[in-house]
Amino acid sequence: MWGGRFAAGPSAIMREINASIPFDKALWGQDIAASKAHVAMLGAAGIVSAEDAAAIAAGLDQVAAEYAANGVPEDWDLEDIHMTTESRLAELIGPVAGRLHTARSRNDQVATDFRLWVRDCLDQTDAGLHALQVALVTRADEHAASIMPGFTHLQTAQPVTLGHHLLAYYEMIRRDRSRLADARVRMNECPLGAAALAGTGFPIDRDATAAALGFDRPTANSLDSVSDRDFALDFLMAAAQISLHLSRLAEEFIIWASQPFGFVVLPDSLSTGSSIMPQKKNPDAAELVRGHSGRIVGALTSLMITMKGLPLAYSKDMQDDKPPVFEAASLLALSIAAMTGMVAEARFREDRMRAAAELGYATATDLADWLVRQADIPFRQAHHITGSAVRLAESRGIALDRLPLADLQAIDPRIDDRVFAALSVEASVAARASHGGTAPGQVKLRVADARLALGWAPGLEG
Ligand code: ARG
């Protein structure tokens, strides 16, 4: 493509280090679409003749059909998807193909193609997260009143409902989706027409190409257009945050599925066995989601460091923008799908969760709250009285509500037999009916809000 300036061809090493076709062939659909928008504009503006524009557009359609049928050929001499397509176009339609690159550079071309790709990826990620939210809300509704221990420091703290626990993840994903939506608004400007870095002297119509490719407007600065990769970083930052949330959810399932917990039976379809221990059923999918978050965060770090310190405008370092984004996108899509299946198909063992909630004096706060409310004792003092009761129950190896009234009254005479009604795990969760609290009634309200927000009113499902 630049033979005029060079006396010798590139060495084998130059060819190899330079070639991006092994990975940027994933952009072929975007590359064809952007070229078609560009040549239509060139024709409409009279920069190339109508016949040439039509011949190029038809040739591009033929190249696209070949790619769809046979894949994109990988010739390192052709370096990247842009030159691969242009060279095939020339084989098909002859020298007129050379007019396609008028008023354009690979710099604005790759910036445009990659934006289009990332934009699709934002939309697909958002759709995946919507499905995960539907699964979370469905299971939360089903388990609005299923009692389990709530933890702090992974120590039993207070009883909560499983529905409440699952809706915590719904909220995280809701914020993640808003990150994707923000990123999409910000990135939806078209760099095509920035040319190499300075714009072009040809009378191009950037509004036309922007509109044809579904962008809101053309970008405002040609230098920025060809050197900005923050749209890709915005995606990776959102992807990293999403992967952290998925990793935490995966970790919950890993813990809950372990034998000492036994809160959940994982779907066979998302588990594996052991080649040596016949009894094993391993949570590999969840572990890989947890593991993949490391690679996704690594992809973000990789591109941040690639971009750090690059002077304007384009430098070849930026060719390395694509592998981390492609890798993160496919790992993330798999992770979202795996967690959606896990949430939708796991069998929760209400008996085990309920029994665990009875352990660890999870209703001690309810005793303290009862003392505050019924005996008008300041909370700090109530906390101390309750601590004595827990110590006594622990020394006898019994639950708080199994302590005889006389023993409780020996600790504090203001306690009476109404206290027992407050000490069950059901009473404990029912009492926490503050906005956003764990009470089953609150969970049902939040499920209703979530269904509305997801555009999934009752009666629409199925
Ligand atoms: N393959 C290149 C990339 O992905 C396309 C842009 C090349 N531009 C250039 N001036 N060499 O960045």
Side-chain angles (χ1 to χ4, degrees):
M1 296 275 167
W2 44 74
R5 164 77 178 74
F6 282 65
S11 71
I13 289 171
M14 185 62 222
R15 252 197 299 272
E16 183 167 355
I17 198 172
N18 208 30
S20 56
I21 187 67
F23 52 85
D24 69 16
K25 61 185 182 178
L27 298 176
W28 73 261
Q30 289 77 10
D31 196 63
I32 298 276
S35 287
K36 286 191 71 179
H38 182 67
V39 78
M41 180 278 292
L42 292 177
I47 299 167
V48 303
S49 72
E51 309 85 85
D52 287 352
I56 291 169
L60 286 167
D61 283 338
Q62 195 178 335
V63 176
E66 290 179 5
Y67 288 169
N70 312 319
V72 179
E74 236 183 77
D75 178 350
W76 289 0
D77 283 326
L78 293 173
E79 200 180 318
D80 59 23
I81 183 61
H82 323 296
M83 305 224 282
T84 300
T85 298
E86 198 182 320
S87 130
R88 181 61 187 144
L89 185 66
E91 284 170 10
L92 292 171
I93 67 171
V96 66
R99 296 194 186 277
L100 170 60
H101 213 53
T102 313
R104 182 178 83 166
S105 152
R106 279 188 296 153
N107 294 348
D108 60 337
Q109 197 179 352
V110 73
T112 304
D113 294 358
F114 198 28
R115 265 189 206 234
L116 289 169
W117 194 94
V118 170
R119 192 176 69 186
D120 281 350
C121 177
L122 290 172
D123 292 344
Q124 282 161 23
T125 306
D126 188 64
L129 291 179
H130 180 274
L132 174 56
Q133 285 183 309
V134 167
L136 286 164
V137 172
T138 302
R139 301 313 299 272
D141 192 22
E142 186 185 326
H143 290 287
S146 304
I147 292 172
M148 66 182 290
F151 302 98
T152 62
H153 317 269
L154 199 55
Q155 304 285 315
T156 298
Q158 292 173 349
V160 296
T161 49
L162 174 60
H164 193 52
H165 198 125
L166 294 174
L167 286 185
Y169 285 93
Y170 166 82
E171 291 296 323
M172 294 175 226
I173 304 299
R174 186 176 62 77
R175 293 190 296 275
D176 289 335
R177 291 185 64 200
S178 80
R179 291 184 178 93
L180 297 174
D182 287 350
R184 196 187 195 290
V185 169
R186 202 158 34 243
M187 66 96 74
N188 203 31
E189 297 183 343
C190 186
L192 193 60
L197 76 166
T200 175
F202 291 98
I204 58 172
D205 180 352
R206 293 194 60 206
D207 290 306
T209 44
L213 295 168
F215 288 106
D216 295 328
R217 64 190 75 82
T219 49
N221 181 296
S222 62
L223 289 166
D224 178 50
S225 306
V226 293
S227 53
D228 159 44
R229 291 296 181 271
D230 28 289
F231 65 90
L233 285 169
D234 268 354
F235 164 68
L236 287 174
M237 286 183 234
Q241 177 63 77
I242 294 163
S243 79
L244 299 188
H245 287 153
L246 296 178
S247 177
R248 294 183 74 175
L249 180 59
E251 172 67 2
E252 307 263 23
F253 275 92
I254 292 164
I255 293 173
W256 293 348
S258 71
Q259 282 70 21
F261 273 78
F263 289 1
V264 72
V265 178
L266 297 180
D268 284 353
S269 57
L270 289 166
S271 308
T272 56
S274 157
S275 55
I276 177 168
M277 295 167 284
Q279 86 286 8
K280 288 292 288 277
K281 180 170 163 184
N282 293 328
D284 294 41
E287 292 170 276
L288 285 165
V289 169
R290 189 176 59 184
H292 285 355
S293 69
R295 293 170 65 190
I296 293 169
V297 172
L300 168 61
T301 309
S302 162
L303 184 54
M304 288 206 291
I305 294 175
T306 295
M307 296 308 296
K308 170 190 166 298
L310 291 185
L312 299 185
Y314 180 87
S315 295
K316 193 72 172 222
D317 316 41
M318 291 166 66
Q319 179 164 284
D320 281 343
D321 57 357
K322 287 167 275 306
V325 169
F326 292 162
E327 181 182 40
S330 69
L331 293 173
L332 186 64
L334 266 174
S335 297
I336 293 170
M339 291 319 296
T340 303
M342 190 106 42
V343 170
E345 288 159 42
R347 185 160 63 78
F348 292 103
R349 298 209 38 202
E350 292 167 81
D351 53 334
R352 298 272 312 182
M353 295 191 297
R354 173 79 172 64
E358 300 276 359
L359 304 172
Y361 303 98
T363 61
T365 316
D366 298 278
L367 174 54
D369 286 353
W370 186 90
L371 291 167
V372 170
R373 257 196 301 236
Q374 305 300 327
D376 196 28
I377 297 173
F379 183 78
R380 279 290 157 230
Q381 207 184 326
H383 183 285
H384 192 81
I385 295 166
T386 304
S388 305
V390 168
R391 187 144 47 90
L392 180 63
E394 204 173 33
S395 73
R396 297 192 191 162
I398 59 174
L400 215 45
D401 61 354
R402 294 284 175 274
L403 281 176
L405 182 59
D407 291 327
L408 285 170
Q409 285 174 333
I411 294 170
D412 194 286
R414 288 168 290 187
I415 300 176
D416 63 47
D417 64 358
R418 290 172 302 161
V419 76
F420 293 107
L423 295 184
S424 72
V425 290
E426 280 78 13
S428 175
V429 296
R432 291 195 164 65
S434 52
H435 181 96
T438 199
Q442 278 296 315
V443 174
K444 285 286 188 184
L445 286 174
R446 299 287 83 81
V447 163
D449 290 347
R451 281 169 167 261
L452 267 181
L454 294 173
W456 172 45
L460 285 184
E461 64 262 50

